[in-house]
Amino acid sequence: MGIVHSPVPAFKRTAAAPPPAFWLVLGLGAVLIFWNLGVPSLWLDEAASPLNARYPFPYILELSRTLEEHPPLYYLALKGVMALGQGDFLLRLPSALCGLGCLVLVALLGRDLFGWGAGALAAALWLAMPQDLWLSRIARPYALWLFFFLCSLRFLLRATREGRARDLQLLLAANLLMTATHYLSFFLMAAEACCLLACSGGLAVRRRLRALGLYLAGAAAVVAIAYWVLLRHSRTPQTILDYNDVPARILTALGQAVAGAFYYFDAPVPRLLWLSAVLLGFFALWRRDRPALRFLLPLAAVPVLLLFLFGRSTGLYSRHLAFLAPLASLAMAGAAASLPPLAARTGLVTVCVLALAVGDALGPHRKDFYDLHSYQVPVIGNNYKQAADVLAALSGPGTAVSYSNDFFGNAVSWYLSRKPHPNPVDDQRLTPEDATARLVYAASTHHGYLARSEAEFKREFGPGARATRVDTTMLYTLDVPRTPTHPLEALPARLRLAAAYPGFFATAAVLDGLRHHQNARSAAFVPTRNDRDAVAAFDFENKAPQAPQDIFCNVVYDNRGRENLLAARAAFDDEPAAVFPLSAGDDAVHQRQVKLRRDRPWKRLRLEIVLRCASLTPTLEGGNLETLRLRDVEAFFCPQGDAACADAAEKGLTASMLDNYLDERFLEASTVLQHRDVLSRDNITEGDGEGQEGWSRLLAADPARPGVLGLDVTLDRPRLVFFPRLGKGASVRVWAVPEQGPRTLLFGLENATGRWTPVSAQYELVVPPQLRGKNVRLDVELSGRWAQLWQQGDTLFF
């Protein structure tokens, strides 16, 4: 057959009113999208949306600028909806409304390209592709992204037809919103430029060049805005570039994503049928409607080609190719409209396709859309809603809940906070009156860092652990007797109150607003809420003979969040508490010491560690509470003048940083070096750099006594980087030495293990606020045979 030439200009076939088939598609589409919208539990990625959107605007923006692969517009839109309510129906409502809008826009594009009959058919075909229904029913940005893309296509269609500046301006505005929703929009914008070049041949040359120039200039402005506002400090570009892979694997990933875009579920026969229909649709347009083909094909092919050229395979899913479904629907509908046997029966064909869409969604895949267990992906737990129901029933005095995974814990806590009774996670509290702590440990699809299996958990924590399965979650309940008061029978005394599970629950007098947190590095306790004081308190009872005492309390922590605060309060008997600020985040130091001198008798000492987490530093777990962790508390009670006890307290303080920095790397040659002058060398010698060009080592000449290097350093930055390297038993300390008064320990690291620290592990020296911008004498003390400090040229600090 030859090409059919329409008597009217291409892309301008319209009718006065939509046919009944369109209203039928719209009505049934609304039913499929909105029915049971709030029933399924939020799935893995969905749960991240409200967890992040609940935070203030600066947090959301910072998250998108640094960690997230998505721009912030969707989170901001969801935040506005959450002001009305936080149920699952409302959380999914923006996507559902956008899905319904996409249905209308596909129909309007089909009308503008081929007429109303094809428009209604295109909408039905789009609805029959299961992923489009799925994206319209989940709290993720893809439906919003697709809606903006279809808006831009309508303006692009007008621009190719008439070349008006107003249409191009609206197109660019839609592209700006599209880019603020997903970064794959850059590929779609490139495809639009190709489409504009291929389809504006009916315009005068001058108007065509002006339209293309205006679009390219506007697109460059959109890219520049996205770069300077969002991407400049983001890891997203590097993440995409790091996806480079061999062509065979890229093609395989792209093929799977394309197949999933047309038929979401992994069923070979339906996928093959859909792919065949799509290819036949484009082939029919090539034979019968070349103008429509020139409009649709670049939009479908160029982004896929760019993904291949960029080497994107890992992390590529069918939802990233959601733009293919409306283009394929339009191609198939246009092909049907161009074939006389089908053109006269588009209404009947639309009804048949619509029946296919409804039957597929409500028949074999009903459980994938409308049940409580829909959307489950067994990665990090599942069915947070059901797990929250069971945990809520376990709540009561003395109950503490902890999790095997941060994200799983945050998602379940989100559901618990929606319930009318107290949240057993966010409202945890143990008091001295609680004789027993009932501990509930929720293990998702893996057991976290406490144990590798149920058998190991029971072996480690006792056969008395009661196990309950909730879908893919295992709940273990332990009853732990508490001894919240610690007697001192004699001096000197040393008490370590490590944040280990479950012992910390037994030894703390008060736990208020803290929950157990275990990662690969250590056990710890983290706040359960932002911008509120969380407290761990310890009671000591003095039964030793009364004498003047020096009391040292070593606090080990992680504080990586901006404006997080850590402090200690100490109160003897009924006296007012003394407050000791310990840390303000972001803090590269991981331990501080509280020193108390007591000359008068005392019976009881309460030591409180206060943690306050600010909502400023995002994490991908859907919250920033894990940026502030209490890892260890150790108390030394020394008779005044007992040098051995005081030295043990100091060694205990400096032995906790070994596992903090494990990366092997040297700084770039362009790094700005820190000015310093050597004031003195005591027992310091220099060794070679073990093959590292430009580097050498400082170490103690006589390992039997410390080597001390005195430096005059300008502290003009909040933190300095340096490179100590330690073997077993070695330590390094950095002291600030004022002209008057006692010297202050700024950094301490001691290696109590049998392995060396990495040869080029970077350590940070945090400059206290009172020393910033000043010239200060620093004493660097190297103790032990295997203590080294590496320098580049004559520079120690960077």
Side-chain angles (χ1 to χ4, degrees):
M1 294 183 180
I3 299 174
V4 174
H5 297 282
S6 174
V8 295
F11 315 133
K12 211 169 183 179
R13 309 181 184 101
T14 61
F22 167 76
W23 298 111
L24 183 62
V25 172
L26 188 61
L28 288 178
V31 171
L32 292 180
I33 290 172
F34 285 96
W35 184 50
N36 272 11
L37 185 62
V39 168
S41 175
L42 296 176
W43 72 291
L44 177 67
D45 286 2
E46 267 191 297
S49 298
L51 287 172
N52 288 321
R54 63 182 170 169
Y55 284 98
F57 172 78
Y59 176 100
I60 296 173
L61 189 60
E62 184 71 11
L63 175 73
S64 298
R65 283 175 167 171
T66 54
L67 300 176
E68 257 278 7
E69 291 189 15
H70 295 114
L73 183 59
Y74 173 76
Y75 292 130
L76 297 176
L78 188 62
K79 186 175 184 64
V81 173
M82 288 169 60
L84 305 176
Q86 300 180 356
D88 289 349
F89 180 88
L90 276 174
L91 293 178
R92 292 181 172 127
L93 184 59
S95 294
L97 293 173
C98 288
L100 198 60
C102 289
L103 198 66
V104 174
L105 286 170
V106 170
L108 292 176
L109 281 163
R111 179 203 66 179
D112 294 341
L113 282 166
F114 312 110
W116 257 124
L121 176 56
L125 287 164
W126 181 81
L127 187 63
M129 296 182 184
Q131 178 174 256
D132 302 320
L133 178 60
W134 183 68
L135 295 178
S136 301
R137 290 178 51 86
I138 64 170
R140 294 299 288 160
Y142 300 100
L144 182 64
W145 177 50
L146 192 59
F147 177 78
F148 288 137
F149 172 63
L150 292 174
C151 288
S152 72
L153 289 194
R154 289 213 71 204
F155 301 128
L156 177 65
L157 187 58
R158 294 178 186 175
T160 60
R161 189 170 62 201
E162 300 175 9
R164 293 186 304 175
R166 182 173 178 272
D167 291 327
L168 287 165
Q169 291 165 0
L170 291 172
L171 168 61
L172 292 168
N175 283 346
L176 183 62
L177 294 172
M178 182 172 66
T179 304
T181 310
H182 204 288
Y183 291 125
L184 281 178
S185 303
F186 296 138
F187 294 169
L188 300 181
M189 290 167 60
E192 288 178 346
C194 296
C195 182
L196 190 63
L197 186 63
C199 298
S200 57
L203 301 177
V205 174
R206 185 174 180 182
R207 175 173 283 193
R208 183 181 183 185
L209 292 176
R210 185 181 66 178
L212 185 61
L214 179 60
Y215 177 82
L216 292 177
V222 170
V223 173
I225 292 171
Y227 175 77
W228 287 102
V229 175
L230 297 173
L231 286 170
R232 186 159 51 114
H233 302 294
S234 173
R235 75 178 189 183
T236 300
Q238 190 59 47
T239 300
I240 294 174
L241 293 175
D242 288 344
Y243 280 140
N244 290 336
D245 211 334
V246 296
R249 291 187 61 180
I250 299 169
L251 286 174
T252 300
L254 279 172
Q256 292 174 344
V258 169
F262 297 143
Y263 194 78
Y264 179 71
F265 304 106
D266 190 7
V269 173
R271 285 185 170 182
L272 181 61
L273 292 174
W274 273 109
L275 286 170
S276 300
V278 172
L279 293 174
L280 286 173
F282 278 105
F283 177 75
L285 291 183
W286 176 73
R287 293 296 304 272
R288 307 185 67 87
D289 199 337
R290 296 282 177 84
L293 181 70
R294 285 197 297 270
F295 181 78
L296 295 174
L297 188 58
L299 295 168
V302 170
V304 176
L305 177 62
L306 289 175
L307 282 169
F308 174 77
L309 294 177
F310 271 80
R312 180 79 185 257
S313 61
T314 306
L316 180 66
Y317 300 101
S318 59
R319 57 184 176 268
H320 299 128
L321 303 184
F323 59 89
L324 290 177
L327 300 173
S329 301
L330 290 167
M332 289 185 288
S338 69
L339 298 172
L342 295 178
R345 299 176 177 83
T346 53
L348 178 60
V349 176
T350 300
V351 171
C352 293
V353 172
L354 195 56
L356 175 66
V358 174
D360 189 58
L362 299 182
H365 294 295
R366 184 185 186 281
K367 66 181 184 302
D368 298 306
F369 290 107
Y370 303 110
D371 293 342
L372 175 66
H373 299 81
S374 300
Y375 308 147
Q376 289 198 12
V377 179
V379 180
I380 305 174
N382 261 308
N383 207 334
Y384 309 117
K385 186 184 294 187
Q386 187 174 2
D389 288 338
V390 177
L391 282 171
L394 295 174
S395 64
T399 300
V401 181
S402 52
Y403 298 97
S404 63
N405 176 273
D406 296 338
F407 187 95
F408 175 73
N410 288 329
V412 173
S413 181
W414 166 262
Y415 274 115
L416 287 168
S417 63
R418 310 275 76 75
K419 298 182 179 299
H421 46 69
N423 184 335
V425 178
D426 288 354
D427 298 312
Q428 292 187 28
R429 180 172 173 81
L430 290 175
T431 69
E433 288 71 39
D434 295 315
T436 302
R438 181 169 59 174
L439 307 185
V440 180
Y441 180 71
S444 56
T445 49
H446 61 84
H447 284 67
Y449 295 99
L450 282 183
R452 289 172 293 184
S453 64
E454 180 176 341
E456 185 174 312
F457 184 90
K458 289 187 174 182
R459 185 168 61 250
E460 181 70 22
F461 302 108
R466 303 180 296 279
T468 305
R469 176 174 290 279
V470 183
D471 202 81
T472 57
T473 302
M474 290 298 297
L475 302 179
Y476 303 95
T477 305
L478 298 170
D479 293 324
V480 177
R482 287 172 38 76
T483 54
T485 300
H486 307 284
L488 306 177
E489 303 292 347
L491 298 180
R494 178 177 182 176
L495 292 172
R496 186 182 179 198
L497 308 167
Y501 190 91
F504 202 74
F505 292 98
T507 57
V510 174
L511 281 176
D512 186 8
L514 290 168
R515 67 175 170 89
H516 175 262
H517 180 260
Q518 183 94 27
N519 62 17
R521 283 177 47 198
S522 68
F525 279 77
V526 301
T528 59
R529 293 188 180 182
N530 288 307
D531 306 309
R532 191 185 77 170
D533 286 351
V535 178
F538 308 93
D539 287 343
F540 304 96
E541 185 179 3
N542 189 8
K543 294 184 176 181
Q546 297 290 340
Q549 296 179 22
D550 286 327
I551 303 171
F552 304 91
C553 299
N554 296 340
V555 181
V556 183
Y557 59 87
D558 298 313
N559 188 0
R560 305 302 295 180
R562 286 179 297 147
E563 297 188 19
N564 288 351
L565 297 176
L566 186 74
R569 293 195 293 248
F572 291 97
D573 299 323
D574 296 328
E575 299 173 12
V579 179
F580 302 86
L582 297 178
S583 172
D586 179 7
D587 185 358
V589 172
H590 294 262
Q591 68 269 47
R592 299 283 186 188
Q593 188 175 78
V594 176
K595 298 180 182 179
L596 303 171
R597 168 156 286 195
R598 185 70 178 184
D599 296 316
R600 290 177 291 164
W602 62 278
K603 293 183 179 180
R604 183 175 293 270
L605 168 64
R606 168 161 286 191
L607 175 67
E608 296 181 343
I609 310 300
V610 183
L611 300 89
R612 190 176 186 88
C613 190
S615 308
L616 294 174
T617 304
T619 64
L620 285 177
E621 288 81 8
N624 64 328
L625 296 166
E626 293 78 22
T627 62
L628 185 57
R629 306 170 75 244
L630 176 62
R631 295 170 52 189
D632 206 347
V633 177
E634 191 170 25
F636 296 79
F637 296 85
C638 306
Q640 285 187 13
D642 189 333
C645 182
D647 185 61
E650 183 183 302
K651 287 184 177 180
L653 178 70
T654 60
S656 58
M657 287 187 65
L658 184 61
D659 61 346
N660 294 338
Y661 302 89
L662 300 176
D663 292 337
E664 290 265 4
R665 63 188 186 275
F666 282 98
L667 296 179
E668 299 291 337
S670 60
T671 300
V672 177
L673 307 182
Q674 174 69 27
H675 169 74
R676 53 93 176 176
D677 293 322
V678 178
L679 299 178
S680 63
R681 291 173 179 258
D682 179 16
N683 193 33
I684 291 288
T685 187
E686 186 171 321
D688 62 50
E690 296 183 355
Q692 301 292 343
E693 185 176 353
W695 292 80
S696 59
R697 297 169 295 151
L698 299 178
L699 57 159
D702 178 5
R705 62 187 182 92
V708 180
L709 183 68
L711 306 171
D712 181 21
V713 178
T714 304
L715 301 179
D716 55 0
R717 293 196 294 276
R719 61 189 64 213
L720 307 177
V721 174
F722 67 124
F723 296 85
R725 190 181 188 218
L726 303 176
K728 184 177 181 179
S731 66
V732 60
R733 294 173 176 82
V734 181
W735 303 84
V737 185
E739 294 183 1
Q740 296 180 345
R743 62 181 187 167
T744 302
L745 181 66
L746 299 183
F747 178 90
L749 173 65
E750 183 173 3
N751 190 346
T753 74
R755 59 190 177 96
W756 279 87
T757 60
V759 67
S760 55
Q762 293 185 1
Y763 288 78
E764 290 180 301
L765 176 66
V766 176
V767 179
Q770 67 270 20
L771 298 181
R772 292 177 187 172
K774 298 181 179 180
N775 288 342
V776 178
R777 178 190 171 111
L778 299 181
D779 279 353
V780 181
E781 180 183 294
L782 301 174
S783 300
R785 180 179 298 275
W786 314 117
Q788 304 174 359
L789 186 61
W790 285 61
Q791 64 178 352
Q792 186 181 45
D794 61 351
T795 302
L796 289 173
F797 296 101
F798 300 81

